[in-house]
Amino acid sequence: LCMMHVLFSVSHAINFTNARSRVYVDVNEKRPANYSDIHSVQIHWGSRDDYVALRFLGHGKYGDTFEAIRTRDNQLCVLKVLRRTMSSYRIRREVKALRNLREGPNIVQLLDVVSDDEGLKK
């Protein structure tokens, strides 16, 4: 079983041929200091029973992604399963970034954060 799931709504494919962001280049310069304060991130843990993985989509540096269904409303979503070796700091950084950027163009919406490891919820 995986250590943690981070769930996203389905978004259209994004072309990454130009790696330099045109939208978020100076985002931290325009925000207050707490905008990037990872240590203050509070994670409200959801239930992993609310999601069912349907099929494998791919893998990356931090984990694997699956097409999934949120069972309470049958919403199609993407389940990102983070690696067990990820530190609590990196998990908080990932959650903070997704929360901060959720309103931007081509950014997937963070739906929920769940874990199958009780030790993570500290």
CSV table of all heavy atoms in Angstrom, one decimal, residues 8-70:
chain,number,residue,atom,x,y,z
A,8,PHE,N,-6.5,15.0,-7.3
A,8,PHE,CA,-6.7,16.1,-8.1
A,8,PHE,C,-7.9,15.9,-9.1
A,8,PHE,O,-8.2,14.8,-9.4
A,8,PHE,CB,-5.4,16.3,-9.1
A,8,PHE,CG,-4.1,16.3,-8.3
A,8,PHE,CD1,-3.4,15.2,-8.1
A,8,PHE,CD2,-3.7,17.5,-7.8
A,8,PHE,CE1,-2.2,15.2,-7.5
A,8,PHE,CE2,-2.4,17.6,-7.2
A,8,PHE,CZ,-1.7,16.4,-7.0
A,9,SER,N,-8.5,17.0,-9.5
A,9,SER,CA,-9.5,16.9,-10.5
A,9,SER,C,-8.8,16.7,-11.8
A,9,SER,O,-7.7,17.1,-12.0
A,9,SER,CB,-10.4,18.1,-10.5
A,9,SER,OG,-9.7,19.2,-10.8
A,10,VAL,N,-9.6,16.1,-12.8
A,10,VAL,CA,-9.0,15.8,-14.1
A,10,VAL,C,-8.9,17.1,-14.8
A,10,VAL,O,-9.7,18.0,-14.8
A,10,VAL,CB,-9.9,14.9,-14.9
A,10,VAL,CG1,-9.4,14.7,-16.3
A,10,VAL,CG2,-9.9,13.5,-14.2
A,11,SER,N,-7.7,17.3,-15.5
A,11,SER,CA,-7.5,18.5,-16.3
A,11,SER,C,-7.0,18.1,-17.6
A,11,SER,O,-6.6,17.0,-17.8
A,11,SER,CB,-6.4,19.4,-15.6
A,11,SER,OG,-6.1,20.5,-16.3
A,12,HIS,N,-7.2,19.0,-18.6
A,12,HIS,CA,-6.7,18.7,-19.9
A,12,HIS,C,-5.2,18.6,-20.0
A,12,HIS,O,-4.5,19.1,-19.1
A,12,HIS,CB,-7.2,19.7,-21.0
A,12,HIS,CG,-6.8,21.1,-20.6
A,12,HIS,ND1,-5.5,21.6,-20.7
A,12,HIS,CD2,-7.5,22.1,-20.1
A,12,HIS,CE1,-5.4,22.8,-20.4
A,12,HIS,NE2,-6.6,23.2,-20.0
A,13,ALA,N,-4.7,17.9,-21.0
A,13,ALA,CA,-3.2,17.7,-21.1
A,13,ALA,C,-2.5,19.1,-21.3
A,13,ALA,O,-3.0,20.0,-21.9
A,13,ALA,CB,-2.9,16.9,-22.3
A,14,ILE,N,-1.4,19.2,-20.6
A,14,ILE,CA,-0.6,20.4,-20.7
A,14,ILE,C,0.7,20.2,-21.4
A,14,ILE,O,1.4,19.2,-21.2
A,14,ILE,CB,-0.3,20.9,-19.2
A,14,ILE,CG1,-1.6,21.1,-18.5
A,14,ILE,CG2,0.6,22.2,-19.3
A,14,ILE,CD1,-1.3,21.4,-17.0
A,15,ASN,N,1.0,21.1,-22.4
A,15,ASN,CA,2.2,20.9,-23.2
A,15,ASN,C,3.4,21.6,-22.4
A,15,ASN,O,3.4,22.8,-22.1
A,15,ASN,CB,2.0,21.6,-24.5
A,15,ASN,CG,3.2,21.5,-25.4
A,15,ASN,OD1,4.3,20.9,-25.0
A,15,ASN,ND2,3.1,21.9,-26.6
A,16,PHE,N,4.4,20.8,-22.1
A,16,PHE,CA,5.6,21.3,-21.3
A,16,PHE,C,6.8,21.5,-22.2
A,16,PHE,O,7.9,21.5,-21.7
A,16,PHE,CB,5.9,20.2,-20.2
A,16,PHE,CG,4.9,20.2,-19.1
A,16,PHE,CD1,4.1,19.1,-19.0
A,16,PHE,CD2,4.8,21.2,-18.2
A,16,PHE,CE1,3.1,19.0,-18.0
A,16,PHE,CE2,3.9,21.1,-17.2
A,16,PHE,CZ,3.0,20.0,-17.1
A,17,THR,N,6.6,21.8,-23.5
A,17,THR,CA,7.8,22.0,-24.3
A,17,THR,C,8.6,23.3,-23.9
A,17,THR,O,9.8,23.3,-24.1
A,17,THR,CB,7.3,22.2,-25.8
A,17,THR,OG1,6.4,23.2,-25.9
A,17,THR,CG2,6.8,20.9,-26.3
A,18,ASN,N,7.9,24.3,-23.4
A,18,ASN,CA,8.7,25.5,-22.9
A,18,ASN,C,8.6,25.4,-21.4
A,18,ASN,O,7.6,25.7,-20.8
A,18,ASN,CB,8.0,26.7,-23.5
A,18,ASN,CG,8.8,28.0,-23.0
A,18,ASN,OD1,9.8,27.9,-22.3
A,18,ASN,ND2,8.4,29.1,-23.5
A,19,ALA,N,9.7,25.1,-20.7
A,19,ALA,CA,9.7,24.8,-19.3
A,19,ALA,C,9.6,26.1,-18.4
A,19,ALA,O,9.3,26.0,-17.3
A,19,ALA,CB,10.9,24.0,-18.9
A,20,ARG,N,9.9,27.2,-19.0
A,20,ARG,CA,9.9,28.5,-18.2
A,20,ARG,C,8.5,29.0,-18.1
A,20,ARG,O,7.8,29.2,-19.1
A,20,ARG,CB,10.8,29.5,-18.9
A,20,ARG,CG,10.8,30.8,-18.1
A,20,ARG,CD,12.0,31.7,-18.6
A,20,ARG,NE,11.8,33.1,-18.1
A,20,ARG,CZ,12.1,33.5,-16.9
A,20,ARG,NH1,12.5,32.6,-16.0
A,20,ARG,NH2,12.0,34.7,-16.6
A,21,SER,N,8.0,29.2,-16.9
A,21,SER,CA,6.6,29.7,-16.7
A,21,SER,C,6.5,31.1,-17.2
A,21,SER,O,7.3,32.0,-16.8
A,21,SER,CB,6.3,29.6,-15.2
A,21,SER,OG,5.1,30.2,-15.0
A,22,ARG,N,5.4,31.4,-17.9
A,22,ARG,CA,5.1,32.7,-18.3
A,22,ARG,C,4.2,33.4,-17.3
A,22,ARG,O,4.0,34.6,-17.3
A,22,ARG,CB,4.5,32.7,-19.7
A,22,ARG,CG,5.5,32.3,-20.8
A,22,ARG,CD,4.8,32.3,-22.2
A,22,ARG,NE,3.6,31.6,-22.3
A,22,ARG,CZ,3.5,30.3,-22.6
A,22,ARG,NH1,4.6,29.6,-22.8
A,22,ARG,NH2,2.4,29.7,-22.7
A,23,VAL,N,3.5,32.6,-16.5
A,23,VAL,CA,2.5,33.1,-15.6
A,23,VAL,C,3.0,33.3,-14.2
A,23,VAL,O,2.7,34.3,-13.6
A,23,VAL,CB,1.3,32.1,-15.6
A,23,VAL,CG1,0.2,32.6,-14.6
A,23,VAL,CG2,0.7,31.9,-17.0
A,24,TYR,N,3.8,32.4,-13.7
A,24,TYR,CA,4.2,32.4,-12.3
A,24,TYR,C,5.7,32.7,-12.1
A,24,TYR,O,6.2,32.5,-11.0
A,24,TYR,CB,4.0,31.0,-11.7
A,24,TYR,CG,2.5,30.6,-11.8
A,24,TYR,CD1,2.1,29.6,-12.6
A,24,TYR,CD2,1.6,31.3,-11.0
A,24,TYR,CE1,0.7,29.2,-12.7
A,24,TYR,CE2,0.2,31.0,-11.1
A,24,TYR,CZ,-0.2,30.0,-11.9
A,24,TYR,OH,-1.5,29.6,-12.0
A,25,VAL,N,6.3,33.4,-13.0
A,25,VAL,CA,7.7,33.7,-12.9
A,25,VAL,C,8.0,34.5,-11.6
A,25,VAL,O,9.0,34.2,-10.9
A,25,VAL,CB,8.2,34.5,-14.1
A,25,VAL,CG1,9.6,35.2,-13.9
A,25,VAL,CG2,8.3,33.6,-15.3
A,26,ASP,N,7.2,35.5,-11.3
A,26,ASP,CA,7.5,36.4,-10.2
A,26,ASP,C,6.4,36.3,-9.1
A,26,ASP,O,6.2,37.2,-8.3
A,26,ASP,CB,7.6,37.8,-10.6
A,26,ASP,CG,6.4,38.3,-11.3
A,26,ASP,OD1,5.5,37.5,-11.6
A,26,ASP,OD2,6.3,39.5,-11.6
A,27,VAL,N,5.8,35.1,-9.0
A,27,VAL,CA,4.6,35.0,-8.1
A,27,VAL,C,5.0,35.2,-6.6
A,27,VAL,O,4.2,35.9,-5.9
A,27,VAL,CB,3.9,33.6,-8.3
A,27,VAL,CG1,4.8,32.5,-7.8
A,27,VAL,CG2,2.6,33.6,-7.6
A,28,ASN,N,6.1,34.8,-6.2
A,28,ASN,CA,6.5,35.0,-4.8
A,28,ASN,C,6.8,36.4,-4.4
A,28,ASN,O,6.7,36.8,-3.3
A,28,ASN,CB,7.6,34.0,-4.3
A,28,ASN,CG,7.1,32.6,-4.2
A,28,ASN,OD1,6.0,32.4,-3.8
A,28,ASN,ND2,8.0,31.7,-4.5
A,29,GLU,N,7.2,37.2,-5.4
A,29,GLU,CA,7.5,38.6,-5.1
A,29,GLU,C,6.3,39.4,-4.9
A,29,GLU,O,6.3,40.4,-4.3
A,29,GLU,CB,8.3,39.1,-6.3
A,29,GLU,CG,9.7,38.5,-6.5
A,29,GLU,CD,10.4,38.9,-7.8
A,29,GLU,OE1,9.8,39.8,-8.5
A,29,GLU,OE2,11.4,38.3,-8.1
A,30,LYS,N,5.1,38.9,-5.4
A,30,LYS,CA,3.9,39.6,-5.3
A,30,LYS,C,3.0,39.2,-4.1
A,30,LYS,O,1.9,39.7,-3.9
A,30,LYS,CB,3.1,39.5,-6.6
A,30,LYS,CG,3.7,40.0,-7.8
A,30,LYS,CD,2.9,39.8,-9.0
A,30,LYS,CE,3.6,40.3,-10.3
A,30,LYS,NZ,2.8,40.0,-11.5
A,31,ARG,N,3.5,38.2,-3.4
A,31,ARG,CA,2.7,37.6,-2.3
A,31,ARG,C,3.3,37.9,-0.9
A,31,ARG,O,4.5,38.2,-0.8
A,31,ARG,CB,2.7,36.1,-2.5
A,31,ARG,CG,2.2,35.6,-3.8
A,31,ARG,CD,0.7,35.8,-3.8
A,31,ARG,NE,0.2,35.2,-5.1
A,31,ARG,CZ,-1.0,35.3,-5.5
A,31,ARG,NH1,-1.9,35.9,-4.7
A,31,ARG,NH2,-1.4,34.8,-6.6
A,32,PRO,N,2.5,37.8,0.1
A,32,PRO,CA,3.0,38.0,1.5
A,32,PRO,C,4.0,36.9,1.9
A,32,PRO,O,4.0,35.8,1.3
A,32,PRO,CB,1.8,38.0,2.4
A,32,PRO,CG,0.7,37.3,1.6
A,32,PRO,CD,1.1,37.6,0.1
A,33,ALA,N,4.8,37.1,2.9
A,33,ALA,CA,5.8,36.1,3.3
A,33,ALA,C,5.2,34.8,3.7
A,33,ALA,O,5.8,33.7,3.4
A,33,ALA,CB,6.6,36.7,4.5
A,34,ASN,N,4.0,34.7,4.3
A,34,ASN,CA,3.4,33.4,4.6
A,34,ASN,C,2.9,32.6,3.4
A,34,ASN,O,2.6,31.5,3.6
A,34,ASN,CB,2.3,33.6,5.7
A,34,ASN,CG,1.1,34.3,5.1
A,34,ASN,OD1,1.1,34.8,4.0
A,34,ASN,ND2,0.0,34.4,5.9
A,35,TYR,N,2.9,33.2,2.3
A,35,TYR,CA,2.5,32.5,1.0
A,35,TYR,C,3.4,31.3,0.8
A,35,TYR,O,2.9,30.3,0.3
A,35,TYR,CB,2.6,33.5,-0.1
A,35,TYR,CG,2.1,32.9,-1.4
A,35,TYR,CD1,0.8,32.8,-1.7
A,35,TYR,CD2,3.0,32.4,-2.4
A,35,TYR,CE1,0.3,32.2,-2.9
A,35,TYR,CE2,2.6,31.9,-3.6
A,35,TYR,CZ,1.3,31.8,-3.9
A,35,TYR,OH,0.8,31.3,-5.0
A,36,SER,N,4.6,31.4,1.1
A,36,SER,CA,5.5,30.2,0.9
A,36,SER,C,6.0,29.6,2.2
A,36,SER,O,7.0,28.8,2.1
A,36,SER,CB,6.7,30.7,0.0
A,36,SER,OG,7.4,31.7,0.7
A,37,ASP,N,5.3,29.8,3.3
A,37,ASP,CA,5.7,29.2,4.6
A,37,ASP,C,5.2,27.8,4.7
A,37,ASP,O,4.0,27.6,5.0
A,37,ASP,CB,5.2,30.1,5.7
A,37,ASP,CG,5.6,29.5,7.1
A,37,ASP,OD1,6.4,28.6,7.1
A,37,ASP,OD2,5.0,30.0,8.1
A,38,ILE,N,6.0,26.9,4.4
A,38,ILE,CA,5.6,25.5,4.4
A,38,ILE,C,5.4,24.9,5.8
A,38,ILE,O,4.6,24.0,6.0
A,38,ILE,CB,6.7,24.6,3.6
A,38,ILE,CG1,6.7,25.1,2.1
A,38,ILE,CG2,6.4,23.1,3.7
A,38,ILE,CD1,7.9,24.6,1.4
A,39,HIS,N,6.1,25.4,6.8
A,39,HIS,CA,6.0,24.9,8.1
A,39,HIS,C,4.7,25.2,8.7
A,39,HIS,O,4.3,24.5,9.7
A,39,HIS,CB,7.1,25.5,9.0
A,39,HIS,CG,8.5,25.1,8.5
A,39,HIS,ND1,9.0,23.8,8.5
A,39,HIS,CD2,9.4,25.9,7.9
A,39,HIS,CE1,10.2,23.8,8.0
A,39,HIS,NE2,10.5,25.0,7.6
A,40,SER,N,3.9,26.2,8.2
A,40,SER,CA,2.6,26.5,8.8
A,40,SER,C,1.5,25.7,8.1
A,40,SER,O,0.3,25.9,8.5
A,40,SER,CB,2.4,28.0,8.7
A,40,SER,OG,2.2,28.3,7.3
A,41,VAL,N,1.8,24.9,7.2
A,41,VAL,CA,0.7,24.2,6.4
A,41,VAL,C,0.0,23.2,7.4
A,41,VAL,O,0.6,22.4,8.0
A,41,VAL,CB,1.3,23.4,5.3
A,41,VAL,CG1,0.3,22.5,4.6
A,41,VAL,CG2,1.9,24.3,4.3
A,42,GLN,N,-1.3,23.4,7.4
A,42,GLN,CA,-2.2,22.5,8.1
A,42,GLN,C,-2.9,21.6,7.1
A,42,GLN,O,-3.5,22.0,6.2
A,42,GLN,CB,-3.3,23.2,8.9
A,42,GLN,CG,-2.7,24.1,10.0
A,42,GLN,CD,-2.0,23.3,11.1
A,42,GLN,OE1,-2.6,22.3,11.6
A,42,GLN,NE2,-0.8,23.7,11.5
A,43,ILE,N,-2.8,20.3,7.3
A,43,ILE,CA,-3.4,19.3,6.4
A,43,ILE,C,-4.6,18.7,7.1
A,43,ILE,O,-4.5,18.2,8.2
A,43,ILE,CB,-2.4,18.2,6.0
A,43,ILE,CG1,-1.2,18.8,5.2
A,43,ILE,CG2,-3.1,17.1,5.1
A,43,ILE,CD1,-0.2,17.8,4.8
A,44,HIS,N,-5.8,18.8,6.4
A,44,HIS,CA,-7.0,18.2,6.9
A,44,HIS,C,-7.2,16.9,6.2
A,44,HIS,O,-7.4,16.9,4.9
A,44,HIS,CB,-8.2,19.2,6.7
A,44,HIS,CG,-8.0,20.5,7.4
A,44,HIS,ND1,-8.1,20.7,8.7
A,44,HIS,CD2,-7.6,21.7,6.8
A,44,HIS,CE1,-7.8,21.9,9.0
A,44,HIS,NE2,-7.5,22.6,7.9
A,45,TRP,N,-7.0,15.8,6.9
A,45,TRP,CA,-7.0,14.5,6.2
A,45,TRP,C,-8.4,14.0,5.9
A,45,TRP,O,-9.3,14.0,6.8
A,45,TRP,CB,-6.3,13.5,7.2
A,45,TRP,CG,-4.8,13.9,7.4
A,45,TRP,CD1,-4.4,14.7,8.4
A,45,TRP,CD2,-3.7,13.6,6.6
A,45,TRP,NE1,-3.0,14.8,8.3
A,45,TRP,CE2,-2.6,14.2,7.2
A,45,TRP,CE3,-3.6,12.9,5.4
A,45,TRP,CZ2,-1.3,14.1,6.6
A,45,TRP,CZ3,-2.3,12.8,4.8
A,45,TRP,CH2,-1.2,13.4,5.5
A,46,GLY,N,-8.6,13.6,4.7
A,46,GLY,CA,-9.8,13.0,4.2
A,46,GLY,C,-9.7,11.5,4.4
A,46,GLY,O,-8.8,10.9,4.9
A,47,SER,N,-10.8,10.8,3.9
A,47,SER,CA,-10.8,9.3,4.0
A,47,SER,C,-10.4,8.7,2.7
A,47,SER,O,-11.0,9.0,1.6
A,47,SER,CB,-12.3,8.9,4.4
A,47,SER,OG,-12.4,7.5,4.3
A,48,ARG,N,-9.5,7.8,2.7
A,48,ARG,CA,-9.1,7.1,1.5
A,48,ARG,C,-10.2,6.2,1.0
A,48,ARG,O,-10.3,5.8,-0.2
A,48,ARG,CB,-7.9,6.3,1.7
A,48,ARG,CG,-8.0,5.1,2.5
A,48,ARG,CD,-6.8,4.3,2.6
A,48,ARG,NE,-7.1,2.9,2.6
A,48,ARG,CZ,-6.2,2.0,2.7
A,48,ARG,NH1,-5.0,2.2,2.9
A,48,ARG,NH2,-6.6,0.7,2.6
A,49,ASP,N,-11.2,5.9,1.8
A,49,ASP,CA,-12.4,5.0,1.3
A,49,ASP,C,-13.3,5.8,0.4
A,49,ASP,O,-14.1,5.2,-0.3
A,49,ASP,CB,-13.2,4.6,2.5
A,49,ASP,CG,-12.4,3.7,3.5
A,49,ASP,OD1,-11.5,3.0,3.0
A,49,ASP,OD2,-12.7,3.6,4.7
A,50,ASP,N,-13.1,7.1,0.2
A,50,ASP,CA,-13.9,7.9,-0.7
A,50,ASP,C,-13.4,7.8,-2.1
A,50,ASP,O,-14.0,8.4,-3.0
A,50,ASP,CB,-13.8,9.4,-0.3
A,50,ASP,CG,-14.6,9.7,1.0
A,50,ASP,OD1,-15.4,8.8,1.4
A,50,ASP,OD2,-14.3,10.8,1.6
A,51,TYR,N,-12.3,7.0,-2.4
A,51,TYR,CA,-11.8,7.0,-3.8
A,51,TYR,C,-11.5,5.6,-4.2
A,51,TYR,O,-11.1,4.7,-3.4
A,51,TYR,CB,-10.5,7.8,-3.8
A,51,TYR,CG,-10.7,9.2,-3.4
A,51,TYR,CD1,-10.6,9.7,-2.1
A,51,TYR,CD2,-11.1,10.2,-4.4
A,51,TYR,CE1,-10.8,11.0,-1.7
A,51,TYR,CE2,-11.4,11.5,-4.0
A,51,TYR,CZ,-11.2,11.9,-2.7
A,51,TYR,OH,-11.5,13.2,-2.3
A,52,VAL,N,-11.7,5.3,-5.5
A,52,VAL,CA,-11.4,4.0,-6.1
A,52,VAL,C,-10.5,4.3,-7.3
A,52,VAL,O,-10.9,5.0,-8.2
A,52,VAL,CB,-12.7,3.3,-6.5
A,52,VAL,CG1,-12.3,2.0,-7.2
A,52,VAL,CG2,-13.6,3.0,-5.3
A,53,ALA,N,-9.3,3.7,-7.3
A,53,ALA,CA,-8.4,3.8,-8.5
A,53,ALA,C,-9.0,2.9,-9.6
A,53,ALA,O,-9.4,1.8,-9.4
A,53,ALA,CB,-7.0,3.4,-8.1
A,54,LEU,N,-9.0,3.5,-10.8
A,54,LEU,CA,-9.5,2.7,-12.0
A,54,LEU,C,-8.4,2.2,-12.9
A,54,LEU,O,-8.4,1.0,-13.3
A,54,LEU,CB,-10.4,3.6,-12.8
A,54,LEU,CG,-11.6,4.2,-12.1
A,54,LEU,CD1,-12.4,5.2,-13.0
A,54,LEU,CD2,-12.5,3.1,-11.6
A,55,ARG,N,-7.4,3.0,-13.2
A,55,ARG,CA,-6.3,2.6,-14.1
A,55,ARG,C,-5.1,3.4,-13.8
A,55,ARG,O,-5.2,4.6,-13.5
A,55,ARG,CB,-6.7,2.6,-15.5
A,55,ARG,CG,-6.9,3.9,-16.1
A,55,ARG,CD,-7.4,3.9,-17.6
A,55,ARG,NE,-7.7,5.2,-18.1
A,55,ARG,CZ,-6.9,5.9,-18.8
A,55,ARG,NH1,-5.7,5.4,-19.2
A,55,ARG,NH2,-7.2,7.1,-19.3
A,56,PHE,N,-3.9,2.8,-14.1
A,56,PHE,CA,-2.6,3.5,-14.0
A,56,PHE,C,-2.5,4.5,-15.1
A,56,PHE,O,-2.8,4.2,-16.3
A,56,PHE,CB,-1.5,2.5,-14.0
A,56,PHE,CG,-0.1,3.0,-14.0
A,56,PHE,CD1,0.4,3.5,-12.8
A,56,PHE,CD2,0.6,3.1,-15.2
A,56,PHE,CE1,1.7,4.0,-12.8
A,56,PHE,CE2,1.9,3.6,-15.1
A,56,PHE,CZ,2.4,4.1,-13.9
A,57,LEU,N,-2.0,5.7,-14.8
A,57,LEU,CA,-1.8,6.7,-15.9
A,57,LEU,C,-0.3,7.0,-16.1
A,57,LEU,O,0.1,7.2,-17.3
A,57,LEU,CB,-2.4,8.1,-15.4
A,57,LEU,CG,-4.0,8.1,-15.3
A,57,LEU,CD1,-4.4,9.4,-14.8
A,57,LEU,CD2,-4.6,7.8,-16.7
A,58,GLY,N,0.5,7.0,-15.1
A,58,GLY,CA,1.9,7.2,-15.3
A,58,GLY,C,2.7,7.4,-14.0
A,58,GLY,O,2.1,7.3,-12.9
A,59,HIS,N,4.0,7.6,-14.1
A,59,HIS,CA,4.8,7.8,-12.9
A,59,HIS,C,5.8,8.9,-13.1
A,59,HIS,O,6.1,9.3,-14.2
A,59,HIS,CB,5.5,6.5,-12.5
A,59,HIS,CG,6.5,6.0,-13.5
A,59,HIS,ND1,6.0,5.2,-14.5
A,59,HIS,CD2,7.8,6.2,-13.6
A,59,HIS,CE1,7.1,4.9,-15.3
A,59,HIS,NE2,8.2,5.5,-14.7
A,60,GLY,N,6.2,9.5,-12.0
A,60,GLY,CA,7.1,10.6,-12.0
A,60,GLY,C,8.1,10.5,-10.9
A,60,GLY,O,8.2,9.5,-10.2
A,61,LYS,N,8.8,11.6,-10.6
A,61,LYS,CA,9.8,11.7,-9.6
A,61,LYS,C,9.2,11.4,-8.2
A,61,LYS,O,9.8,10.7,-7.4
A,61,LYS,CB,10.5,13.0,-9.6
A,61,LYS,CG,11.5,13.2,-8.6
A,61,LYS,CD,12.2,14.6,-8.7
A,61,LYS,CE,13.3,14.7,-7.7
A,61,LYS,NZ,14.0,16.0,-7.8
A,62,TYR,N,8.0,11.9,-7.9
A,62,TYR,CA,7.5,11.8,-6.5
A,62,TYR,C,6.4,10.7,-6.4
A,62,TYR,O,6.0,10.4,-5.2
A,62,TYR,CB,6.9,13.2,-6.1
A,62,TYR,CG,7.9,14.3,-6.0
A,62,TYR,CD1,7.8,15.4,-6.8
A,62,TYR,CD2,8.9,14.1,-5.1
A,62,TYR,CE1,8.7,16.4,-6.7
A,62,TYR,CE2,9.9,15.1,-5.0
A,62,TYR,CZ,9.8,16.3,-5.8
A,62,TYR,OH,10.7,17.2,-5.7
A,63,GLY,N,6.0,10.1,-7.4
A,63,GLY,CA,5.0,9.0,-7.3
A,63,GLY,C,4.3,8.6,-8.6
A,63,GLY,O,4.7,9.0,-9.6
A,64,ASP,N,3.3,7.9,-8.4
A,64,ASP,CA,2.5,7.4,-9.5
A,64,ASP,C,1.1,8.0,-9.6
A,64,ASP,O,0.6,8.4,-8.5
A,64,ASP,CB,2.3,5.9,-9.4
A,64,ASP,CG,3.6,5.1,-9.4
A,64,ASP,OD1,4.5,5.6,-10.1
A,64,ASP,OD2,3.7,4.1,-8.7
A,65,THR,N,0.5,8.1,-10.8
A,65,THR,CA,-0.8,8.7,-10.9
A,65,THR,C,-1.8,7.6,-11.5
A,65,THR,O,-1.4,6.8,-12.3
A,65,THR,CB,-0.8,9.9,-11.8
A,65,THR,OG1,-0.2,9.6,-13.0
A,65,THR,CG2,-0.1,11.1,-11.1
A,66,PHE,N,-3.0,7.7,-11.0
A,66,PHE,CA,-4.1,6.8,-11.5
A,66,PHE,C,-5.3,7.6,-11.8
A,66,PHE,O,-5.6,8.6,-11.1
A,66,PHE,CB,-4.4,5.8,-10.3
A,66,PHE,CG,-3.2,4.9,-10.0
A,66,PHE,CD1,-2.3,5.4,-9.0
A,66,PHE,CD2,-3.1,3.7,-10.5
A,66,PHE,CE1,-1.2,4.6,-8.7
A,66,PHE,CE2,-2.0,2.9,-10.2
A,66,PHE,CZ,-1.1,3.3,-9.2
A,67,GLU,N,-6.1,7.1,-12.8
A,67,GLU,CA,-7.4,7.7,-12.9
A,67,GLU,C,-8.3,7.1,-11.8
A,67,GLU,O,-8.1,5.9,-11.5
A,67,GLU,CB,-8.0,7.2,-14.3
A,67,GLU,CG,-9.4,7.8,-14.6
A,67,GLU,CD,-9.9,7.3,-16.0
A,67,GLU,OE1,-9.1,6.7,-16.7
A,67,GLU,OE2,-11.0,7.7,-16.3
A,68,ALA,N,-9.1,7.8,-11.2
A,68,ALA,CA,-9.9,7.4,-10.1
A,68,ALA,C,-11.3,8.0,-10.1
A,68,ALA,O,-11.6,8.9,-10.8
A,68,ALA,CB,-9.2,7.7,-8.8
A,69,ILE,N,-12.1,7.5,-9.2
A,69,ILE,CA,-13.5,8.0,-9.0
A,69,ILE,C,-13.7,8.3,-7.5
A,69,ILE,O,-13.2,7.6,-6.6
A,69,ILE,CB,-14.5,6.9,-9.3
A,69,ILE,CG1,-14.6,6.6,-10.8
A,69,ILE,CG2,-15.9,7.3,-8.9
A,69,ILE,CD1,-15.2,7.7,-11.7
A,70,ARG,N,-14.2,9.5,-7.2
A,70,ARG,CA,-14.6,9.9,-5.9
A,70,ARG,C,-16.0,9.3,-5.7
A,70,ARG,O,-16.9,9.7,-6.4
A,70,ARG,CB,-14.6,11.4,-5.7
A,70,ARG,CG,-14.9,11.7,-4.2
A,70,ARG,CD,-14.6,13.2,-3.9
A,70,ARG,NE,-15.3,14.1,-4.8
A,70,ARG,CZ,-15.2,15.4,-4.6
A,70,ARG,NH1,-14.4,16.0,-3.8
A,70,ARG,NH2,-15.9,16.2,-5.4
